[in-house]
Amino acid sequence: MTATVTAGRYAQRVAAADWDSVARELDEYGCAPLPRLLTPAECARIAGLYDGEYRYFAAPFPEPVDALRHALYPRLLPVARDWHTRLGRPAEWPDTLDEWLDICHAAGQTRPTPILLRYETGGWNALHRDLYGDKVFPLQVVVNLSDPGADHTGGEFLLVEQRPRAQSRGTAVLIPQGHGLVFTTRDRPVASARGWSAAPVRHGVSAIRSGRRYTLGLVFHDAT
């Protein structure tokens, strides 16, 4: 099977999402579920590449990682541009991921950011933001490579949003095996009395109660 045919298979899975619904859920919650992006066999193959607490992939990436990243970027781009328009910020992202990564590299952000993580029983991930430099794409995707309830319990994806002049709001999602979740990288627009305000967002993972959880993280900007 040629690389083009294989990449097209992942693009079809990405296209199967209801992207209008994804945009609405991102506006409402700051995150949105995606359909199955990887089969169980593909999940196991990627998880098998793990050799430490976490592992950033080096180029050339495994084909599913590269293909999904390229297929997801143009689907997320309209949301990214819309959000920055609402916030009165310039939307500097070009039409293709390769062009955007060239901009990152010209700014000194040359280290790849796709990452494979493993969480053991008792492990968790503190709330944080994956910024890595001045060049930031406002959305990213995580794929659960493990089967909740069979491979692990606990391990919910956590999103905490600080609303302007309001209490923080938390969202917890248990991601099915092979499915994706798109979520806010840094901040997102929320309606306020003055129009639109930027609500800072952080993400993490709740404690693993039993078992082991592998996760694939797809960030759309490179690091310094």
Side-chain angles (χ1 to χ4, degrees):
M1 185 176 295
T2 67
T4 300
V5 171
T6 305
R9 179 175 63 201
Y10 296 110
Q12 288 177 350
R13 296 175 190 172
V14 170
D18 181 344
W19 285 99
D20 289 336
S21 176
V22 169
R24 288 193 297 270
E25 292 211 30
L26 284 168
D27 276 343
E28 180 65 26
Y29 303 109
C31 63
L34 298 176
R36 183 181 293 278
L37 302 177
L38 296 171
T39 66
E42 290 164 345
C43 289
R45 187 162 62 250
I46 295 174
L49 300 173
Y50 188 90
D51 60 4
E53 182 178 353
Y54 59 85
R55 179 186 182 208
Y56 286 99
F57 289 99
F61 305 130
E63 188 170 46
V65 175
D66 189 58
L68 286 176
R69 207 173 178 216
H70 278 83
L72 286 162
Y73 175 85
R75 299 286 181 172
L76 300 174
L77 186 59
V79 177
R81 288 172 170 169
D82 176 54
W83 280 10
H84 270 229
T85 296
R86 291 190 229 173
L87 292 172
R89 299 173 178 172
E92 62 177 325
W93 311 288
D95 291 340
T96 69
L97 177 61
D98 289 335
E99 291 175 293
W100 167 236
L101 293 179
D102 284 343
I103 292 172
C104 291
H105 297 169
Q109 294 178 213
T110 58
R111 292 192 296 113
T113 51
I115 186 172
L116 179 60
L117 303 102
R118 183 178 72 189
Y119 302 92
E120 303 280 357
T121 299
W124 54 285
N125 197 342
L127 295 172
H128 66 285
R129 295 185 288 182
D130 298 315
L131 300 181
Y132 303 127
D134 292 333
K135 301 300 181 183
V136 177
F137 193 76
L139 297 160
Q140 60 194 90
V141 173
V142 63
V143 182
N144 189 0
L145 303 178
S146 302
D147 185 4
D151 297 328
H152 67 89
T153 61
E156 294 86 359
F157 177 88
L158 303 175
L159 197 75
V160 176
E161 177 178 283
Q162 179 62 57
R163 293 241 166 175
R165 294 173 296 282
Q167 299 262 345
S168 296
R169 184 180 74 169
T171 301
V173 183
L174 191 59
I175 306 170
Q177 184 182 36
H179 289 238
L181 184 80
V182 54
F183 63 96
T184 308
T185 299
R186 177 174 58 189
D187 55 25
R188 70 185 194 91
V190 295
S192 69
R194 300 178 182 177
W196 294 99
S197 297
V201 177
R202 295 180 297 161
H203 66 277
V205 175
S206 71
I208 305 296
R209 296 178 179 84
S210 65
R212 178 182 292 169
R213 178 181 184 263
Y214 288 93
T215 303
L216 171 65
L218 301 175
V219 180
F220 298 92
H221 49 266
D222 282 349
T224 53

